[in-house]
Amino acid sequence: GKTVTFSASHASKPRFEVSREDGSVSLRASVRADPEAELKVTFTIRLTADSKLAYLRLNLLNNSQWIPYEVAFPVVAAPFSLGSHGEDDAILFPTGDGALIRAPGRRFRGTIETEHPGLAALQMMAFFDAAGGLYFASNDVRGLPKQQRFIRTRHGIEFSLKHLLAEEVGGDFE
């Protein structure tokens, strides 16, 4: 069959809700990816008072005959430099036994990607300097295969985690 890509630009206007519970705040956005295909995507960001981490979750509810085979989530756009000069910036990427790319805003050109299971030792990536940075990892109890990638764009460095799904009609994803 034909491959069709759905992105946020195809979605209906999002419906937002904020909730507070047990010291955490959650923002939930729900959209219909395509009203005719009956795909509903819900994205949740949860922040807790006792952690510096943001917890992200995506649910894909598929009541259609479509067969989703991959979901890119999250996709994080970062600047070329985290600080004023970027010389102490580094990217930790899980290919092989790990790769540390120093000053990536100045030295890196192109795309690097790896798969887990496969050449990626871990399901995590980080972009950091001496003051802090971005860390993201997958907490995947199902152990689905993934592609981890970072790419230099015209505007900065983009990190993404692509979940490769079992190809089944009406398959959901969480």
Side-chain angles (χ1 to χ4, degrees):
K2 180 173 110 175
T3 299
V4 178
T5 301
F6 289 105
S7 69
S9 64
H10 297 96
S12 64
K13 186 175 179 180
R15 195 180 88 240
F16 294 99
E17 59 185 81
V18 176
S19 62
R20 291 172 174 27
E21 182 179 327
D22 298 329
S24 68
V25 177
S26 294
L27 169 66
R28 180 171 301 182
S30 297
V31 297
R32 291 266 177 209
D34 180 18
E36 295 173 14
E38 300 180 34
L39 295 171
K40 181 180 179 184
V41 177
T42 303
F43 168 63
T44 306
I45 303 172
R46 184 172 56 89
L47 304 171
T48 62
D50 61 347
S51 176
K52 294 181 179 181
L53 299 177
Y55 299 89
L56 304 136
R57 169 169 270 166
L58 183 118
N59 294 0
L60 170 67
L61 181 61
N62 181 13
N63 292 320
S64 74
Q65 293 301 307
W66 291 88
I67 302 172
Y69 65 93
E70 63 185 37
V71 174
F73 176 80
V75 177
V76 177
F80 289 118
S81 173
L82 293 175
S84 59
H85 53 76
E87 288 304 308
D88 64 344
D89 292 357
I91 290 176
L92 177 61
F93 195 70
T95 191
D97 58 354
L100 187 65
I101 300 163
R102 297 188 185 277
R106 183 173 53 84
R107 294 182 178 166
F108 175 72
R109 303 282 186 264
T111 301
I112 295 180
E113 64 183 20
T114 190
E115 291 192 10
H116 186 279
L119 293 178
L122 302 167
Q123 296 184 45
M124 61 79 63
M125 293 183 278
F127 181 34
F128 60 95
D129 66 8
L134 302 169
Y135 161 80
F136 57 103
S138 179
N139 182 8
D140 176 13
V141 297
R142 293 171 48 195
L144 294 173
K146 290 163 198 57
Q147 287 179 341
Q148 294 160 288
R149 171 178 104 142
F150 74 93
I151 182 171
R152 182 185 177 102
T153 68
R154 291 182 344 167
H155 306 290
I157 300 171
E158 182 180 286
F159 297 83
S160 63
L161 189 60
K162 188 182 294 183
H163 305 266
L164 307 174
L165 310 178
E167 296 183 20
E168 57 190 15
V169 173
D172 296 338
F173 170 75
E174 177 174 21

